[in-house]
Amino acid sequence: MSEKTILYHQEDGVATVTFNRPDKLNALNGQMKEELREIINKVAAAPDIRVLIFTGKGRAFMAGADVSMFLDLDPLSGKHLAQRAQELLARLESLEIPVIAAVNGLALGGGLELAMACDLIYASGEAKFGQPEINLGLLPFVGGTQRLTRLVGKVVAKELCFTGRMMDAQEAKTLGLVARVIPGDSLMAEVNKIAHILAQKPRVALRAIKQVIDRGFDLDLRNACALETDAVALCLSSPDAREGVSAFLEKRPPRFSRTFSAK
Ligand code: COA
């Protein structure tokens, strides 16, 4: 059995996944994809996991798909590979908990595509982002052309995908792709702190915020706002809303429920 290409750690409701092929800049090969699939399924089925973090070992977050796989692809097997990879990121994106990409270094191709399927990207000062597939005679095919366009707009997405150039963390922050740039030596400590704060938040409300923002983004304003009315009704049916409001009125910190059944 070869060494695990992904390390997994779980503590106090926060799961951390570390891509672990540092000598290949964490390029995503078949084994890594299978391990990632298993972890996403495990997280989806675990009601005690409240936040998920992705990061990479070494100087990369992930330098994209392992290019060595591409030579064997014909059009049909290539399409199948792209469909399977898109399904994996759709599954990741549909997790009901906050998912954070702590981008420690290079996030290229599939690495950027995976990060964009997360809810929040925090980047170290050393992080670099890009969609370099054009240089292989390809295009981003794991949602990159679409998620990038929705995040930064058509013109910037085209410029990045046409040129394949890398942008640094500060530019990515300016474009709204990155939530915050954090010095590399404190990236994981800071992201862990944020994750633990999120893990204490009322879970039904957190889930509702994620769903309404994600689903509402592709709707017109009227229909998107209608999602909020259903979501607030759902929150009001949870004990955490009663607790949150009561705690405020009683001038004490709220004690939100610690567990939530996903069933
Ligand atoms: N697939 C497979 N192997 C990769 C890889 C990828 N996407 N990205 C990097 N590697 C491997 C390199 O082949 C090299 O392996 P080796 O030491 O066995 O030769 C190792 O990782 C280190 O990469 P190297 O190219 O030597 O580092 P560098 O600092 O000179 O360049 C990059 C870094 C990211 C600019 C360069 O590796 C690169 O362009 N990678 C491909 C990125 C890409 O096109 N991703 C999208 C794929 S769809």
Side-chain angles (χ1 to χ4, degrees), residues 8 17 35 44 63 101 111 144 157 165 180 187 207 220 237 241 250:
Y8 179 84
V17 168
E35 288 177 18
R165 74 176 175 88
R180 206 192 300 170
L187 176 71
R207 184 175 66 160
D220 62 275
S237 74
E250 292 162 18

Side-chain angles (χ1 to χ4, degrees), residues 23-25 27 59 63-68 70 106 108-110 132-133 136 138 141 166:
D23 53 330
K24 296 288 179 190
L25 303 183
R59 65 188 172 103
D66 192 314
V67 175
S68 63
F70 291 173
L106 295 162
L108 304 176
E133 291 86 346
L136 302 170
L138 299 171
F141 57 81
M166 287 191 219

Side-chain angles (χ1 to χ4, degrees), residues 2-3 5 9 23 32 80 89 106 127 157 161 197 200 202 230 238 261:
S2 51
E3 199 187 342
T5 61
H9 176 76
D23 53 330
M32 201 166 166
H80 183 66
L89 289 196
L106 295 162
C161 294
I197 290 170
Q200 303 300 320
D230 290 340
S238 88
S261 172

